[in-house]
Amino acid sequence: MRIRQIALVARELEPVVDELRAVLGLDEGFADPGVGEFGLKNAVLALGEQFLEVVCPVRADATAQRY
């Protein structure tokens, strides 16, 4: 089995992304404007050929809000 991407849900995006970048030595992430349709903002961080995505709900009706 190969995991291509793991997504985490955070209350605040920037502090979590900053901490992950510092601890894992990662470059700046990519913000996908398309996730706004789902009431989210995100950062996608490359880990070799895999990705670590952090999403943050920005609308009360976002599915991720319940997490």
Side-chain angles (χ1 to χ4, degrees):
M1 177 192 306
R2 179 175 179 260
I3 296 175
R4 183 176 184 272
Q5 182 169 342
I6 295 175
L8 306 172
V9 178
R11 287 190 179 121
E12 294 182 42
L13 185 65
E14 290 79 11
V16 173
V17 171
D18 290 346
E19 183 73 16
L20 288 169
R21 288 183 62 218
V23 170
L24 299 173
L26 303 174
D27 292 330
E28 182 131 356
F30 168 75
D32 180 359
V35 301
E37 177 180 342
F38 305 104
L40 303 169
K41 60 182 179 176
N42 77 339
V44 180
L45 306 164
L47 286 159
E49 294 180 10
Q50 289 79 33
F51 300 96
L52 180 58
E53 179 178 17
V54 182
V55 298
C56 175
V58 293
R59 284 192 333 232
D61 66 339
T63 303
Q65 184 68 32
R66 66 178 171 222
Y67 298 110

